[in-house]
């Protein structure tokens, strides 16, 4: 049984039909990348999994249990941590307080819990910024804090929505190394991205979305070797 199975989902925003019969499988320990142009449906897919825009048809199962219709906080407590694209940190709280709030809200008492020290080991810059207000951090630091907050909830699966977007190349590189360390720790990751270079060393498998459906799936190695696929669906 796959850790996470998205089967044949249809998702809407009000009357707009966005995802069509979309299926994705995620095995424990994998980094699965969702690629596609702007508007392809990557964000809607991770929002569907996180319970923010529940699909109207199809199933999403975590270890075989259907989670469709559960409120987002329940899905988070079951072990699916969502890092949204818009980096919601509490601007008036310090880095330490942002992490503390997350621990209280989402902490699920898993066997190898994340602590503030452990997230600071992964993101050393946050240790330096510990007493600083979240709103004063740079874009890259806010992205790291958003990921760190989600980790404080001890997720089994991390959903990341375009983490590299809008960040300077050097910061993107740092973030890529940090996510590589998370992968090495055994965390399962679903990574929605437009930046192929960012995911190419991280990802195990790739799904390419277009107009709300899966157009291609394969191993990262196969995807990288296929110029035609990249030209057709990604324009890179
Ligand atoms: P992006 O890189 O722009 O985030 P994406 O692949 O993540 O792209 P989605 O954000 O999932 O794509 O958008 C898929 C489609 O849904 C697009 O056509 C978009 O216009 C539409 N859409 C997104 N949010 C809403 C909304 N709140 N109401 C109606 N349509 C929406």
């Amino acid at each position: 049984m796959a850790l996470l199975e998205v089967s044949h989902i249809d998702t809407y925003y009000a009357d707009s039909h966005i995802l069509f019969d979309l299926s994705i499988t995620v095995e424990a320990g994998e980094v699965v990348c969702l690629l596609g142009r702007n508007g392809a449906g990557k964000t809607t897919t991770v929002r569907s999994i996180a319970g923010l825009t529940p699909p109207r048809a199809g199933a999403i199962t975590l270890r075989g249990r259907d989670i469709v219709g559960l409120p987002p906080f329940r899905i988070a407590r079951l072990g699916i941590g969502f890092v949204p694209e818009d980096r919601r940190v509490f601007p008036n709280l310090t880095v330490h307080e942002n992490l503390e709030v997350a621990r209280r809200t989402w902490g699920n008492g898993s066997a190898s819990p994340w602590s503030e020290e452990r997230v600071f080991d992964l993101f050393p810059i946050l240790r330096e910024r510990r007493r600083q207000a979240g709103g004063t951090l740079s874009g890259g630091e806010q992205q790291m804090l958003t990921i760190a907050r989600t980790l404080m909830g001890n997720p089994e699966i991390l959903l990341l929505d375009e983490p590299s977007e809008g960040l300077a190349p050097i910061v993107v590189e740092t973030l890529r190394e940090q996510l590589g360390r998370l992968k090495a720790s055994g965390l399962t990751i679903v990574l929605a991205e437009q930046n192929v270079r960012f995911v190419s060393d991280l990802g195990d498998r790739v799904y390419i979305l277009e107009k709300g459906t899966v157009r291609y799936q394969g191993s990262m190695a196969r995807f990288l070797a296929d110029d035609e696929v990249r030209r057709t669906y990604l324009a890179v």
Side-chain angles (χ1 to χ4, degrees):
M1 184 197 300
L3 177 57
L4 180 72
E5 186 110 38
V6 175
S7 344
H8 305 288
I9 62 167
D10 284 76
T11 300
Y12 296 71
Y13 290 111
D15 291 337
S16 308
H17 194 168
I18 307 294
L19 300 184
F20 299 85
D21 197 33
L22 184 140
S23 298
I24 284 169
T25 300
V26 182
E27 304 288 345
E30 272 191 314
V31 176
V32 170
C33 303
L34 308 180
L35 301 175
R37 294 190 179 105
N38 262 331
K42 304 179 297 295
T43 296
T44 309
T45 301
V46 287
R47 285 177 54 91
S48 297
I49 297 169
L52 296 163
T53 50
R56 285 196 203 157
I60 300 176
T61 59
L62 179 67
R63 296 189 187 288
R65 173 186 175 177
D66 195 357
I67 58 170
V68 171
L70 296 180
F73 80 90
R74 292 276 318 278
I75 292 175
R77 280 190 194 156
L78 287 173
I80 300 181
F82 176 51
V83 179
E85 198 174 357
D86 58 2
R87 299 168 202 161
R88 298 256 181 98
V89 304
F90 295 110
N92 300 323
L93 300 185
T94 64
V95 166
H96 166 71
E97 287 163 346
N98 267 280
L99 294 173
E100 194 57 20
V101 167
R103 185 174 67 80
R104 289 213 204 112
T105 316
W106 295 326
N108 62 11
S110 85
S112 58
W114 282 84
S115 61
E116 189 174 33
E117 271 311 299
R118 199 173 155 207
V119 302
F120 286 165
D121 287 343
L122 181 63
F123 302 114
I125 191 70
L126 296 182
R127 181 180 279 121
E128 289 172 35
R129 303 274 186 264
R130 187 166 183 270
R131 295 278 163 215
Q132 214 168 300
T136 67
L137 303 182
S138 72
E141 291 162 359
Q142 290 195 14
Q143 181 61 274
M144 289 167 200
L145 180 55
T146 311
I147 296 170
R149 283 179 48 189
T150 305
L151 291 174
M152 291 297 276
N154 296 309
E156 195 171 4
I157 303 175
L158 193 63
L159 309 175
L160 291 162
D161 193 9
E162 302 214 26
S164 80
E165 205 200 5
L167 301 180
I170 181 132
V171 182
V172 169
E173 184 51 31
T174 303
L175 188 63
R176 204 178 56 74
E177 284 165 18
Q178 289 159 337
L179 294 183
R181 287 168 65 191
L182 275 179
K183 175 186 178 168
S185 79
L187 191 65
T188 305
I189 298 175
V190 177
L191 184 54
E193 259 296 342
Q194 298 218 33
N195 183 343
V196 172
R197 211 181 272 168
F198 181 72
V199 303
S200 58
D201 284 343
L202 277 174
D204 296 304
R205 284 191 304 115
V206 168
Y207 290 87
I208 299 181
L209 310 189
E210 189 186 56
K211 298 197 174 111
T213 62
V214 173
R215 294 290 180 174
Y216 173 91
Q217 56 177 301
S219 69
M220 180 60 80
R222 185 175 150 226
F223 164 71
L224 291 174
D226 195 333
D227 293 340
E228 183 65 26
V229 164
R230 288 213 298 285
R231 266 198 301 274
T232 307
Y233 299 115
L234 301 174
V236 288

